[in-house]
Structures are given as structure tokens and as C-alpha cells.
Amino acid sequence: MLSGPVGIGAKGNEGVANNVSQTKGSIVYVEYAYALQNKLVYPRMVNKDGKTVSPTSEAFQAAAANADWNSVPGYGVILANQPGAASWPMTAATFILIPKQPPDAAAATTALKFFAWAYANGGKMAEELDYVPMPAEVVKQDQGDVGQIHHRERRQAALHHKLTLHGTA
């Protein structure tokens, strides 16, 4: 059994990255956008298919495109270690939840209008911020299910909206 402190705590990507930069041989888990913007060194990794890949927008999108989004109710798929020769093994998505029966129909309508706008216009903005938009085929599938939300009488099993992908470098 270990005794004494294990690791060093820090707040946010910046705090963690700063501590790591001062500790020889250390490893940090930060979001891809932060790694790019701060010119951090990142590794290549071997994915589920045994291929060595680099963390890139294309590799994150490959992981999302190769995931079986129907395998978990509400699209709650863990994107880590998805199949595919080009898939980055440490990918995650941002999810937004809408309850089955929204208590405020007007707020639900406004939220759904925002999601529609984000899908139509947000991809380029995400890329400009070094985030990765969902692949078009995943967006299309998700938009079909979003159309089934009818304020109070909707068939929504806590519908997840996949807006952007996050990779870790």
C-alpha cells in the first residue's frame, strides 16, 4: 500500500499542463483544443485496429463515425477505443440532455431551435476554436431523432445531442 501524497492537484487544463511542464517524464490528459493552442507535445497511440494514429480532427471524426450510436439508449456511447483504422482511441463527445417531458415547452422549443442552428452553422465555428464537429452522418441520424421531440408528449429517452467531439492529446 502506498503512503503519502499521490500526484499533484491543479485546476483546469492550464493548471494541470503547467504542473506537467515542470515535472520531467510526466503525462497530462488535456483537451485537444488546449493542446493545439498551447503547442503541447502529444503522442501517437495504437488504436483498437492496431494502427498507430495521431490526434487529429479526422481521427476524432473517424471514432464518432465508426461508433454504433444505436447500441445505447439515448446515444450515450463512450467513444473511447472505437473500431476503425483511422480512429483516435481517446475520443469523447459533448452531450446535451432534454428530458422526456420538458416542463417548459417554450424553453424546449428555444433549445431545439438552437440545436438546429448549431448543427447548420456551428461546424465551422467549432473548427475555428480547434474543436471537432460531429461527422455529417452522425448529425443526420441525431437530427432525425430530435424531430421526434414534441414538447410535453414526445418520445424522448433523455435524448442526447452530440454537438462536438473532444479528443485528448
Side-chain angles (χ1 to χ4, degrees), residues 36-164:
L36 282 180
Q37 292 164 6
N38 291 279
K39 297 175 178 49
L40 299 180
V41 176
Y42 45 82
R44 295 179 69 197
M45 293 179 69
V46 176
N47 66 19
K48 187 173 187 172
D49 284 13
K51 303 295 182 186
T52 302
V53 293
S54 294
T56 64
S57 294
E58 295 79 16
F60 304 138
Q61 286 188 326
N66 289 318
D68 180 1
W69 291 99
N70 292 316
S71 66
V72 179
Y75 299 125
V77 174
I78 303 299
L79 294 179
N81 212 27
Q82 290 297 319
S87 295
W88 179 252
M90 295 297 294
T91 303
T94 297
F95 294 96
I96 297 176
L97 302 173
I98 301 268
K100 286 184 178 184
Q101 297 179 354
D104 183 338
T109 298
T110 300
L112 292 173
K113 285 179 183 177
F114 170 75
F115 298 143
W117 176 89
Y119 277 135
N121 304 294
K124 178 108 174 95
M125 292 173 152
E127 289 171 343
E128 289 169 357
L129 295 170
D130 294 319
Y131 284 91
V132 183
M134 280 289 171
E137 62 271 19
V138 177
V139 170
K140 184 177 179 182
Q141 178 184 2
D142 192 44
Q143 285 178 318
D145 286 344
V146 169
Q148 295 177 18
I149 300 173
H150 300 291
H151 308 298
R152 295 193 176 141
E153 301 151 26
R154 303 198 172 208
R155 183 216 89 129
Q156 339 161 17
L159 209 70
H160 294 293
H161 296 282
K162 305 169 290 292
L163 294 179
T164 59

